[in-house]
Amino acid sequence: MKIPPVKGTRDFYPPDMAVRNWLIDGWKRVSARNGFEEYDGPIFEYLRMFQIKSGDEIVEQLFSLTDRGGRDLAIRPEITPTLARMVNQQINSLPRPIKWFSVPRLCRAERPQKGRLREFFQWNIDIIGVEDVLADAEVIFTACDYLEEVGLTPDDIVVKISSREMLAALLQTIGVAENELEPLYMVLDKRGKLPDDTFEQMLTKQVGDKNKRNKIMELMAVESIGQISDCLRLSETSKKSVDELGRLFELLDCFGVADFCVFDIGIVRGLAYYTGIVYEIYDKTSELRAIGGGGRYDNLLKQFGGPNIPATGFGIGDAVLEILLEEKGLLQKQLPARQPDYFVAFTDSQFFEKAVEITAKLRRAGLAASFSYKAGGLSKQLKQASDQNAQKCVIIGSEIENNELIIKDMATGKQELIELNEFFDKCKSEQR
Ligand code: HAM
């Protein structure tokens, strides 16, 4: 009986694993150079942790289970609640600002589609303890720093930025009550993600008053920060958040990533805990789902029983990113070649054991070395060496009786005869 993989999951065969490792190595390298330290948490948590403040959408997508002790648990669909819990636990001893990153494996029971799976990896970058938009700018810079490193340019991707704080103030000016804001955000987040008529039906259900609805739609059509005041009279609170957005764009200019960033009032985010600046990263053609998203969540630590400490961060998934890099032809050429330093070949089966001995010695000296299991002819072994992309070949022949080897450079084809001990001394110095 053949058992297929579970819907929405991936098997990582060695070539897929090479891609995954390359992506994650890049995330780790860029995190480190931007001053972030790595953390991780458990793959499952108490179910209620995700029910507190992540929002209905993610709760509907939870893989949950009850353990033998009757505890309700869930596999993590995101790591932000875990981060809030972990930081709260050690808040008095952690030097601030806390700049942490993680690359968790996450599970969401979403309908599998292009770029959306039931199990995926997500790069998380978060700064905790900084109220200033400088932290939001640094987080956005870090995302751009990585995306640029893998070859994506402002022609390929765009970071769409807005502010929930500003939207809240503007919606309140229109007459939306404070307790109506959160459910309205969830509807507005669907604009552009669902067919227009489905979105309109959702909005009508949420906002009964036609005039209010029209005003909301007029506001959502604004294309620049400057246009907001043409559409609505700004309250003191909205002025403050409009100015804050303006400063964020100035800082992004300072960081040199302004070309990647645009203001987009339609960015609301689907998770319930965001409080201020919010952003999503898309491919420029908007054909794919979001590459990443994040924002400020100043109340989450407090809602998890901790102190009132501000926080901001983002998550970028591996799935859409991989599709985009593949489509742009940027993926395969950047993968590190699997390349043994040496392939140890032998001219006659009587030298097989010597080949194993030399291979082992090379490996113990820290070099990548391989050899053939089959005692085929030398030309077959050399073909195997070039298939494996070996840099050099050690050829063991009758010269070994005088303690000598032939070393063939696979790129130039040049061969040299070398004494065994001299060869290993050379290998050691190559290693250093
Ligand atoms: P999110 O928008 O739910 O945010 O996810 C961020 C990114 O994770 C998405 O843009 C996408 O690339 C990837 N992603 C999400 N769901 C899936 C899926 N089913 N399959 C494949 N990729 C997916 C968060 O998770 C926030 N916790 C991010 C954050 C960190 N905010 C502050 N700090």
Side-chain angles (χ1 to χ4, degrees), residues 5-255:
V6 176
K7 198 169 136 188
T9 64
R10 289 170 290 182
D11 292 329
F12 290 90
Y13 287 89
D16 313 308
M17 207 54 217
V19 172
R20 178 172 131 193
N21 283 336
W22 173 76
L23 280 177
I24 292 181
D25 286 351
W27 290 344
K28 291 190 175 188
R29 190 175 51 250
V30 173
S31 301
R33 75 172 175 231
N34 280 277
F36 292 84
E37 289 180 291
E38 189 167 5
Y39 72 97
D40 199 359
I43 191 127
F44 47 80
E45 293 271 7
Y46 285 110
L47 173 68
R48 62 180 184 277
M49 200 162 96
F50 303 110
Q51 292 170 326
I52 297 181
K53 222 32 207 157
S54 293
D56 294 344
E57 188 173 89
I58 221 155
V59 169
E60 281 162 21
Q61 295 170 349
L62 285 174
F63 279 105
S64 52
L65 60 138
T66 307
D67 76 1
R68 288 189 207 179
R71 283 170 283 259
D72 290 325
L73 308 176
I75 301 177
R76 60 188 179 188
E78 56 162 342
I79 203 170
T80 315
T82 303
L83 171 67
R85 179 178 64 66
M86 286 171 63
V87 169
N88 274 346
Q89 263 164 218
Q90 297 196 349
I91 195 66
N92 294 324
S93 57
L94 293 171
R96 287 187 225 163
I98 297 159
K99 288 179 65 181
W100 284 4
F101 83 94
S102 194
V103 284
R105 182 194 283 261
L106 305 176
C107 291
R108 294 185 190 180
E110 277 202 54
R111 192 171 58 80
Q113 52 184 300
K114 194 174 177 190
R116 284 295 177 271
L117 302 162
R118 294 199 162 165
E119 187 194 45
F120 58 99
F121 291 87
Q122 193 194 58
W123 178 34
N124 280 254
I125 283 283
D126 289 87
I127 300 183
I128 295 172
V130 183
E131 205 171 334
D132 198 288
V133 280
L134 180 56
D136 304 84
E138 189 175 24
V139 157
I140 295 172
F141 168 77
T142 306
C144 294
D145 186 19
Y146 171 78
L147 294 167
E148 203 169 31
E149 184 180 281
V150 293
L152 295 166
T153 70
D155 289 335
D156 307 311
I157 50 160
V158 57
V159 187
K160 299 181 176 178
I161 306 173
S162 187
S163 159
R164 257 203 198 178
E165 196 181 20
M166 181 190 77
L167 191 61
L170 297 173
L171 290 171
Q172 280 176 308
T173 312
I174 295 175
V176 177
E178 202 174 338
N179 63 350
E180 292 168 345
L181 285 172
E182 210 170 285
L184 182 56
Y185 291 155
M186 296 306 130
V187 175
L188 294 179
D189 178 59
K190 293 285 167 264
R191 199 176 71 110
K193 295 179 184 166
L194 290 177
D196 286 352
D197 49 345
T198 318
F199 168 72
E200 273 160 34
Q201 277 167 17
M202 283 173 77
L203 187 63
T204 310
K205 208 170 142 208
Q206 191 59 43
V207 183
D209 183 312
K210 192 159 180 250
N211 280 342
K212 234 191 247 179
R213 225 169 36 236
N214 287 344
K215 203 71 199 158
I216 293 174
M217 287 312 286
E218 201 186 313
L219 177 65
M220 297 312 281
V222 154
E223 283 179 350
S224 70
I225 300 181
Q227 266 182 24
I228 299 173
S229 53
D230 301 339
C231 173
L232 276 179
R233 203 174 52 79
L234 298 186
S235 65
E236 272 312 303
T237 340
S238 22
K239 252 194 220 129
K240 201 179 131 258
S241 40
V242 167
D243 289 349
E244 192 184 63
L245 254 186
R247 187 167 127 71
L248 173 66
F249 277 95
E250 277 168 27
L251 286 167
L252 291 168
D253 194 27
C254 255
F255 272 111

Side-chain angles (χ1 to χ4, degrees), residues 331-401:
L331 192 57
Q332 295 305 329
K333 65 180 186 197
Q334 295 194 74
L335 296 179
R338 184 174 163 262
Q339 196 176 39
D341 300 301
Y342 287 98
F343 186 96
V344 184
F346 43 94
T347 56
D348 189 282
S349 57
Q350 62 172 309
F351 304 125
F352 173 74
E353 282 176 8
K354 199 72 194 167
V356 174
E357 189 188 312
I358 289 176
T359 305
K361 226 170 152 183
L362 283 167
R363 289 178 181 173
R364 292 169 107 173
L367 292 154
S370 61
F371 64 99
S372 174
Y373 272 24
K374 289 189 201 137
L378 182 62
S379 59
K380 273 199 178 150
Q381 292 178 61
L382 290 178
K383 162 114 187 10
Q384 214 178 331
S386 84
D387 289 347
Q388 288 181 15
N389 228 349
Q391 293 182 41
K392 288 180 183 167
C393 234
V394 174
I395 302 171
I396 306 170
S398 53
E399 304 81 6
I400 198 68
E401 270 131 41

